Structure formats: C-alpha cells, structure tokens
Amino acid sequence: MLEWYSDHDGPQCKEYMYIHMQSRDMKNDISGHNERFKIIPNSFENLEFDKVTSKNFDKIKSRHFNLHYFKLRSYNLFDKTMRALNKHYRDR
C-alpha cells in the first residue's frame, strides 16, 4: 500500500504493510478489476492515471464532500456543550 502526499519538496511516497479502516462504511466506486485505486475519506475510487508522477500528482482528486466529517464534528460539539452545561449546573 502506497501513500502519496505533497510537501515542500513536491510529491512524496510512503509504503505501508497494511492499513486499519476503523470499521467505517466505505463506498466502493472502483470499476472492473483495477490493481490501482485510491482511498479517500469514506470511499475507494479509481485512480485517474496508471502511474503517479510529479506532473500528474496535482490533477488527482484527493477529496470530495464528506458528510461523515460533519456528522462527527456536530456530535462532538453537541457532546462538549452538554458536558459543559452539566458541569455548570452541577457545580451551582
């Protein structure tokens, strides 16, 4: 498994033996029997190019609208607010 990312030196590659998917629901948008695909938040998708290079790296779509992020963020904000209110009223 390869992770491609960009830093101040341009596109970089890091190899992993395995990844843990955290039991999340993943959408599978891979067509056919592709050996190359990308994993972006909550989705497996076809890789736009056969080979990743410094010339095409910026053209590869790395994100899409992610409702899962907003659900988690709103739940965490609600939970934090409720804990603060409970503490406030408990300490009175």
Side-chain angles (χ1 to χ4, degrees):
M1 175 90 34
L2 299 176
E3 173 190 18
W4 285 91
Y5 61 95
S6 184
D7 66 10
H8 61 278
D9 292 328
Q12 304 294 320
C13 182
K14 186 174 181 180
E15 187 173 3
Y16 293 92
M17 186 180 304
Y18 77 99
I19 58 171
H20 178 72
M21 302 304 288
Q22 300 177 346
S23 301
R24 71 171 58 192
D25 292 331
M26 299 288 286
K27 183 177 178 184
N28 184 357
D29 282 337
I30 300 172
S31 59
H33 297 286
N34 290 337
E35 291 183 11
R36 297 178 187 269
F37 58 91
K38 60 186 176 182
I39 303 172
I40 58 178
N42 300 330
S43 178
F44 298 99
E45 295 187 1
N46 290 316
L47 189 58
E48 292 90 342
F49 301 96
D50 290 331
K51 185 174 181 179
V52 177
T53 66
S54 58
K55 291 181 180 181
N56 66 19
F57 182 79
D58 290 334
K59 296 176 185 167
I60 297 172
K61 181 180 168 188
S62 62
R63 300 193 186 282
H64 54 76
F65 181 73
N66 185 358
L67 188 58
H68 181 73
Y69 169 80
F70 292 104
K71 286 180 184 177
L72 284 177
R73 184 69 182 119
S74 61
Y75 172 79
N76 290 339
L77 184 59
F78 176 77
D79 185 52
K80 185 177 183 179
T81 303
M82 293 305 293
R83 281 187 279 129
L85 287 172
N86 288 334
K87 184 178 185 302
H88 173 74
Y89 286 111
R90 187 178 59 238
D91 293 343
R92 291 178 108 196

